[in-house]
Amino acid sequence: MSATLISAWSETVAREPGAVALIEAGTERIFTRADLETQAGDWAARYGAGLAGQPVLLAESNGREWLRVFLGLLKAGATVVPLDPGEPPAAQDALATALRVGWRWSGGALVPGVERATRRWSGSC
């Protein structure tokens, strides 16, 4: 199989955009494939610049937000590193350092990971 996950998702959306993709627990709100595609595209447009090829740690609880960010990261060309959000911060930092993660989705924001925060600018690319 040569298709990427994001291209398979795009084909799935194109086939039946109005199909139910997610029912949000607690609120019972229904999101269609097209809804999630739009939200992921909005996420990628807002946060995705410069993420292509970058590993990004995603420690988010299961649900619409996780799916929106996951698809947005894929649209931006990032390499998603999913992590249990229940992991203690020290364990998340250790994993981020071991994997040389430059960015982390945390608390509803894209923040520099340990690797990016400790790396010093050398003045050249």
Side-chain angles (χ1 to χ4, degrees):
M1 175 184 226
S2 61
T4 63
L5 183 57
I6 197 63
S7 65
W9 165 253
S10 295
E11 290 171 11
T12 300
V13 172
R15 267 195 314 273
E16 198 173 348
V20 173
L22 180 85
I23 300 173
E24 194 168 50
T27 67
E28 305 307 314
R29 288 180 53 198
I30 295 172
F31 295 90
T32 65
R33 292 173 181 171
D35 293 334
L36 291 176
E37 176 71 3
T38 298
Q39 291 175 19
D42 291 347
W43 189 97
R46 181 172 181 185
Y47 299 104
L51 292 182
Q54 298 291 314
V56 179
L57 190 96
L58 174 57
E60 181 73 41
S61 297
N62 289 340
R64 182 179 58 90
E65 181 68 359
W66 186 93
L67 191 52
R68 178 181 81 97
V69 175
F70 177 75
L71 291 169
L73 285 166
L74 293 179
K75 285 181 169 294
T79 301
V80 183
V81 181
L83 181 64
D84 180 348
E87 286 290 325
Q92 290 186 23
D93 288 345
L95 181 60
T97 300
L99 296 175
R100 301 179 58 96
V101 171
W103 296 97
R104 173 188 312 223
W105 181 257
S106 177
L110 188 64
V111 296
V114 173
E115 180 69 19
R116 184 165 300 280
T118 58
R119 190 181 304 153
R120 298 220 184 271
W121 170 290
S122 65
S124 62
C125 294

